[in-house]
Amino acid sequence: LKGLGFEFLFGIIGTGTMRCQLLPILIFHSAATVHGAGPWFPVPEFEVNLDLAPEQRFTQVIQHFNASLWNLFDNLMPKPVLNMLVKKISSKRGPENDELQGEIRGVAQLSGLSEEAIHAAQMLYEINTLMVPWINTSWPWSNNAEGNVSPARLGDKAWPWLPLHFGCTGIVAVDKQSGTVSHARNLDFEMSKYLQPLVYVGIFTSAGKELFRSQMVAGYSSVLTGMRKGPNGYTIEINTRFMNHDSGAKKLWQHLFTEKRDLSGWIKRKVLQEIPDYEGAVHAFSSTPYAATEYNIISGVKKGTILAREPDGLAYELPLDISKQDYVIMTNFDYIWHDLRERFDPTSTAGFGKSRREGAQRILNKTDVITPQILFDVINNPVTFAKSTIFQAVMNVETGLWNVSLPACKECGGSADTTILV
């Protein structure tokens, strides 16, 4: 399989909504000038009450974001093609567990989108692990013409998205002076112009108390960036890890449509909800079967690690405490194995072929003490910042820091070439 038109589809449908308050952004004060992102905008914040029926949890989210959801939907691809795709995907996948299916049903009812569309959107992460560009693909369950999806069939609206590209950066670093560990992340995603207006922070509560918080995309029930507070709490970031084309795509279809494994972001949500401690979370993220490959970047109180996941277990781990540097870092490629695809990464604002990881490392290696301010500067430097960075976070479990913002990325209609003093 060379690729999938699914990305077009998932961006389009991946929308839900809620009403909100604006999270104040913690702006770091420094004499340094950040070249790249800016200005930064607050992230809408909503309570997600897990004591409510699944169908009712995202009512405010949908009400708040529905116009942006439909803006995405109307600008993605011809609706007949989209409707065909989502029906096929949803039917082959079959219903999710009762809780997730209830949330899907509620979002569909409130948004006016089909339940099949919202359901298909939940597989956004898994499908995006197929490396781009995508030229042509066939459904794993069909050998006839109806099962084939090519750019020509997607129509003119699809062409602006080719080739698709995705990128993220995660850094976990220790401050040598205080010993505290901070976690910085850039979330980069194609279709950023339409997806960034759908980003919000969900404060997941039960019995009136916060269980965890997560960066979310309206209509998508899964976690992309999360934090569970507490004396032994943790943060979690999901980064795309592109799979092997020869065997990975076939295994992905098997995991999604035959074995029907739980979806990645849903697994993260349940871990955040049910496991309060760092060690328990790392074990769960290391051993729970996934449908696709991925990176899990995790920090805790004076500790952190990066997990490179295969669907059935760990490929390798990069623990902070045995790193030769004061940090561990990951974008989207197995650089420890000299993954050549890193050289063809089109997302960097520094230019095609420039490694975001290497750019960040050059800055970090010249830094004596890595503070949250330094990390904020690093993820906003042009060598690290991507054209499609739609969300940023700097987190610290020990201090309770949760600094999140929406940067004015180039593909979001903002500028990635502005010099900002922060």
Side-chain angles (χ1 to χ4, degrees), residues 2 7 9 12 25 49 70 87 96 171 189 245 273 298 319 362 368 384 386 404:
K2 295 267 187 177
E7 285 298 348
L9 134 83
I12 209 175
I25 303 176
N49 186 349
W70 277 97
K87 288 179 181 178
E96 304 296 333
I171 307 168
F189 218 110
H245 274 225
Q273 180 179 340
I298 310 164
R362 284 194 294 271
D368 292 331
T384 310
V404 297

Side-chain angles (χ1 to χ4, degrees), residues 146-399:
E146 185 186 21
N148 297 327
V149 180
S150 67
R153 292 194 68 196
L154 295 175
D156 293 340
K157 286 186 177 180
W159 284 102
W161 305 118
L162 296 176
L164 294 175
H165 49 77
F166 309 88
C168 292
T169 300
I171 307 168
V172 177
V174 59
D175 180 329
K176 290 188 297 187
Q177 291 183 344
S178 67
T180 188
V181 170
S182 297
H183 179 175
R185 97 95 96 223
N186 277 350
L187 172 65
D188 316 326
F189 218 110
E190 184 56 275
M191 299 176 291
S192 50
K193 178 179 178 181
Y194 299 102
L195 284 176
Q196 191 181 61
L198 300 171
V199 173
Y200 69 97
V201 169
I203 308 297
F204 288 77
T205 66
S206 180
K209 297 181 179 179
E210 176 181 332
L211 291 177
F212 67 94
R213 56 184 55 204
S214 169
Q215 172 255 321
M216 309 281 287
V217 175
Y220 183 60
S221 288
S222 293
V223 167
L224 296 171
T225 311
M227 180 176 183
R228 172 104 186 202
K229 296 181 178 180
N232 194 23
Y234 54 94
T235 64
I236 175 67
E237 165 191 345
I238 302 171
N239 280 17
T240 300
R241 181 174 182 244
F242 296 113
M243 60 178 59
N244 179 285
H245 274 225
D246 294 337
S247 59
K250 293 179 181 179
K251 289 181 179 179
L252 174 63
W253 300 141
Q254 178 182 341
H255 297 156
L256 279 179
F257 300 117
T258 302
E259 298 179 20
K260 303 184 189 297
R261 295 188 180 188
D262 285 341
L263 301 173
S264 169
W266 181 257
I267 293 171
K268 307 306 180 298
R269 242 186 77 175
K270 300 310 287 186
V271 170
L272 283 162
Q273 180 179 340
E274 298 170 1
I275 300 179
D277 63 286
Y278 174 90
E279 286 75 19
V282 170
H283 175 74
F285 295 142
S286 300
S287 59
T288 303
Y290 291 169
T293 53
E294 64 182 67
Y295 297 109
N296 294 166
I297 294 89
I298 310 164
S299 75
V301 178
K302 293 181 170 58
K303 49 199 169 187
T305 194
I306 294 175
L307 310 175
R309 278 297 311 265
E310 296 289 344
D312 294 323
L314 273 179
Y316 59 88
E317 181 176 0
L318 302 176
L320 178 62
D321 62 354
I322 64 172
S323 173
K324 295 180 180 179
Q325 308 294 336
D326 295 332
Y327 64 87
V328 286
I329 184 172
M330 186 58 68
T331 54
N332 305 100
F333 308 97
D334 290 318
Y335 68 90
I336 67 167
W337 293 337
H338 310 290
D339 189 344
L340 287 177
R341 289 175 293 186
E342 185 175 27
R343 299 300 165 192
F344 297 93
D345 178 6
T347 64
S348 174
T349 58
F352 180 79
K354 300 292 185 180
S355 166
R356 290 174 283 114
R357 172 189 61 84
E358 290 179 349
Q361 286 184 298
R362 284 194 294 271
I363 301 171
L364 292 168
N365 290 343
K366 295 177 181 178
T367 304
D368 292 331
V369 179
I370 304 176
T371 63
Q373 169 66 64
I374 292 296
L375 289 174
F376 184 75
D377 291 351
V378 169
I379 63 175
N380 281 287
N381 191 287
V383 299
T384 310
F385 194 77
K387 301 172 185 176
S388 55
T389 300
I390 64 173
F391 171 85
Q392 295 180 304
V394 178
M395 304 167 282
N396 187 304
V397 178
E398 185 174 357
T399 65

Side-chain angles (χ1 to χ4, degrees), residues 34-41 196 349 380-382 385-389 392 406-420:
V34 176
H35 301 273
W40 296 268
F41 302 98
Q196 191 181 61
T349 58
N380 281 287
N381 191 287
F385 194 77
K387 301 172 185 176
S388 55
T389 300
Q392 295 180 304
L406 304 176
C409 75
K410 188 173 183 179
E411 293 185 358
C412 305
S415 171
D417 303 313
T418 305
T419 299
I420 301 293

